[in-house]
DNA sequence: CGTATGTCAGAAGGACTGACATTT
DNA sequence: CAAATGTCAGTCCTTCTGACATAC
């Protein structure tokens, strides 16, 4: 096996994201929100009320029509508001409503608690080193990825 | 921020799996196979020709009817063969055909190359420690997850 | 006039639930 | 007879592509 450590590394990283998703799912179900809707809300939140729909679509990696439907549903549920841009009458900027804000905050609180529990009993320096190593791995991967596009 | 390191840890782990998926996607498209089909093939391969459909369904986390359709498609494309179990006439065991085997092997080769490239220039001991840390994090997370089910 | 933005309409993929035949 | 296994039928959700109106 020429590749053992890297294999287990990706395996454990994948397992981590899978477990974290499992930890969040019950809280999403509790407020009857799908994972993709949650990602939409966090993307809007991260953009800070300054993003047009096309920007959010790019950030989420979906097409404008797909985002349009998702936004329509979120608006219908009172989580998001659309505002026509003052500087461009074609564009609509997205903002979280108060309800949307509190919903995201509640779910993120659950995520944070899972994150706190998962590092119990582990040396902070060791964690820091792990994060650094993952960063370097990701940089390598992103580089070899962008290099293979042409 | 009480939770900084853990946040970035999950962020970097998520980024790693995302990047790895991006690295594999072109190779899947090249042989016109979806990610879910690829996961089906690897699950069958990992089971070593001894698994019934219901076992594979559990491993993949889907319902038996869903697996049934996926299997039907894979059989139709000559990637998988169904064999009625000698010991239980209700059950069908799944095996990869030669074509299925070579398909999986080709894609895994691409995955392995991406994995090799992503650890270039990183100390093997550091990688080993990172894997160990991730294992412990995952164990913590799995525990707190199973503990919150009742 | 060509481009950008959002939206509508139709189609496709993937998964689910419920019902069912067969076997244990 | 009750449970397990695979399958069929129908539905739902999500995303996509293509076409279009409006604004830049």
């Amino acid at each position: 096996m020429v590749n053992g450590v890297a294999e287990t590394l990706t395996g454990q990283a994948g397992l981590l994201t899978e477990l974290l998703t499992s930890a969040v799912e019950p809280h999403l179900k509790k407020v009857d929100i799908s994972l993709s809707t949650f990602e939409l809300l966090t993307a809007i939140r991260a953009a800070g009320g300054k993003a047009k729909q096309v920007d959010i679509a790019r950030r989420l990696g979906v097409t404008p029509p797909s985002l349009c439907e998702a936004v329509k549903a979120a608006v219908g549920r009172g989580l998001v508001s659309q505002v026509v841009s003052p500087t461009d009458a074609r564009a609509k900027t997205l903002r979280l409503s108060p309800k949307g804000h509190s919903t995201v905050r509640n779910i993120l609180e659950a995520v944070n608690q899972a994150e706190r529990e998962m590092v119990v009993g582990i040396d902070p320096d060791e964690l820091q080193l792990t994060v650094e190593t993952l960063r370097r791995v990701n940089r390598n991967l992103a580089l070899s990825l962008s290099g293979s596009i042409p």
Side-chain angles (χ1 to χ4, degrees), chain A:
Chain A
M1 182 181 306
V2 292
N3 207 11
V5 180
E7 261 179 36
T8 48
L9 177 61
T10 54
Q12 293 297 318
L15 183 54
L16 175 52
T17 63
E18 201 174 302
L19 289 173
L20 195 64
T21 303
S22 301
V24 182
E25 242 158 27
H27 300 275
L28 293 174
K29 191 158 286 180
K30 206 166 51 189
V31 290
D32 194 33
I33 278 192
S34 70
L35 184 57
S36 59
T37 301
F38 176 60
E39 288 170 338
L40 169 64
L41 298 183
T42 53
I44 293 174
R45 191 176 109 122
K50 301 290 183 187
K52 301 174 294 183
Q53 289 190 188
V54 68
D55 297 326
I56 302 292
R58 264 193 284 266
R59 183 190 286 243
L60 292 176
V62 300
T63 59
S66 298
L67 188 83
C68 178
E69 286 187 52
V71 167
K72 197 165 53 173
V75 170
R77 299 189 48 179
L79 300 167
V80 170
S81 65
Q82 291 173 306
V83 181
V84 174
S85 166
T87 64
D88 185 342
R90 295 170 302 176
K92 299 182 181 177
T93 60
L94 299 179
R95 308 196 57 169
L96 294 184
S97 70
K99 179 181 171 189
H101 255 299
S102 69
T103 300
V104 171
R105 219 173 321 120
N106 284 343
I107 299 172
L108 284 182
E109 182 50 45
V111 176
N112 286 339
Q113 180 172 352
E115 286 172 335
R116 263 180 263 124
E117 286 173 8
M118 80 188 186
V119 297
V120 164
I122 301 182
D123 176 20
D125 289 343
E126 187 180 330
L127 282 175
Q128 193 60 53
L129 180 60
T130 297
V131 171
E132 287 302 327
T133 305
L134 286 178
R135 276 215 181 88
R136 296 175 62 192
V137 168
N138 283 334
R139 195 149 30 109
N140 277 347
L141 197 47
L143 276 178
S144 79
L145 210 56
S146 67
S148 65
I149 285 181

